[in-house]
Amino acid sequence: DAKTTQPNSMESNEEEPVHLPCNHSTISGTDYIHWYRQLPSQGPEYVIHGLTSNVNNRMASLAIAEDRKSSTLILHRATLRDAAVYYCIRSGGGADGLTFGKGTHLIIQP
Amino acid sequence: KAGVTQTPRYLIKTRGQQVTLSCSPISGHRSVSWYQQTPGQGLQFLFEYFSETQRNKGNFPGRFSGRQFSNSRSEMNVSTLELGDSALYLCASSLAGANVLTFGAGSRLTVL
C-alpha cells in the first residue's frame, strides 16, 4: 500500500514548467511528504520534502494543499535531464522504510 | 564528498547459492537502509540499520539478512537464492531515519 496516488505518466516540453500531482488523502498529521526521482540506470535521488508549508530548493518547489490531502511538485523549467520516474511518498520518518509506489514517468519532449 | 558506494555493481549467481552485497554510506551517516527493486514489485523496503542495530524490517523472508558494522558500513546477505531474487538492490544512507535518503547506484543481481 503506497498510500499515495500519482498519474502513471506525464509529458511536457523542454523549458516549460511541470506540475506533478500527488494525492495522499489519508495522510496523518505527522507524516512528511517526500519526493524522489529515479533517472534511468540510477538509484533514486532525493528531490524535496515538506510537512505543511510550501517548500523551495534548487531543484524544485513543493506546493502542499491546505488540508494536506494533496501536493504538487513543480519543476520550474524542465530540461531533458529531468526525464525520470518521480515518486511521491508520505513518511513519518524515523526507522520506517519509505513506501514507494509506481511513481509518475515524466517524459520531456525537446 | 563521496556518495553511497555499493559493491559489486553486477553479479550473476545460480539458484541455491548465497550472495553478500556491500554498502559504504556517506561519511557521518549512521543509518543505512536496503531496498529491492524489480519490474513487477517496484521498490520495496528490506531493512534499516542504525548504530549496528536493525531498527525495522520489511516483509521479506528470513533468507534476507543484513548487518551493520561500527564504521556504519553495511552488508546484506541473501541465502538459498531463487530466480525471483533477481533484482536491483539499493542501499541508502541518512543521518538518522528516513527523512532524506541518499541512494547508491545499486547492485544488480541476476539469478540463473
Side-chain angles (χ1 to χ4, degrees):
Chain A
D1 178 16
K3 306 174 187 177
T4 62
T5 304
Q6 299 177 253
N8 288 333
S9 65
M10 290 183 63
E11 199 167 311
S12 183
N13 295 319
E14 199 177 8
E15 299 188 7
E16 290 185 356
V18 180
H19 292 235
L20 296 165
C22 179
N23 286 318
H24 29 78
S25 58
T26 59
I27 194 167
S28 74
T30 56
D31 281 350
Y32 281 81
I33 300 150
H34 300 254
W35 284 82
Y36 283 77
R37 71 180 185 180
Q38 188 171 21
L39 280 66
S41 302
Q42 295 187 26
E45 173 188 31
Y46 167 80
V47 178
I48 200 167
H49 79 287
L51 184 62
T52 56
S53 304
N54 294 344
V55 185
N56 301 292
N57 65 21
R58 65 174 180 79
M59 289 182 70
S61 295
L62 176 59
I64 302 171
E66 198 170 329
D67 63 6
R68 298 207 334 120
K69 293 184 177 181
S70 65
S71 61
T72 302
L73 178 71
I74 302 164
L75 306 179
H76 294 286
R77 197 161 166 266
T79 69
L80 295 178
R81 287 176 292 181
D82 291 322
V85 178
Y86 286 77
Y87 298 97
C88 168
I89 302 159
R90 38 175 280 206
S91 172
D96 294 339
L98 297 180
T99 300
F100 287 80
K102 299 295 185 186
T104 296
H105 184 199
L106 177 63
I107 299 164
I108 304 295
Q109 297 288 357
Chain B
K1 57 183 176 181
V4 177
T5 303
Q6 292 189 246
T7 57
R9 288 294 313 279
Y10 303 92
L11 67 166
I12 299 173
K13 294 284 187 177
T14 57
R15 281 180 297 175
Q17 287 187 311
Q18 65 93 27
V19 65
T20 299
L21 308 177
S22 178
C23 173
S24 293
I26 289 174
S27 178
H29 283 192
R30 296 170 64 190
S31 170
V32 174
S33 50
W34 289 88
Y35 291 79
Q36 181 197 64
Q37 185 171 30
T38 60
Q41 298 298 320
L43 273 154
Q44 293 186 285
F45 171 70
L46 279 158
F47 27 65
E48 190 260 359
Y49 287 86
F50 183 84
S51 294
E52 303 178 65
T53 301
Q54 186 182 92
R55 296 198 298 183
N56 204 354
K57 190 177 191 305
N59 189 26
F60 278 83
R63 300 186 296 108
F64 292 81
S65 62
R67 59 178 176 169
Q68 186 180 33
F69 302 95
S70 58
N71 62 357
S72 294
R73 191 177 70 84
S74 177
E75 289 180 347
M76 68 162 285
N77 184 279
V78 188
S79 62
T80 320
L81 284 166
E82 300 176 0
L83 295 179
D85 297 333
S86 294
L88 180 66
Y89 290 89
L90 292 156
C91 165
S93 75
S94 65
L95 286 171
N99 273 342
V100 179
L101 302 182
T102 302
F103 282 83
S107 293
R108 184 166 294 282
L109 170 66
T110 301
V111 181
L112 302 177

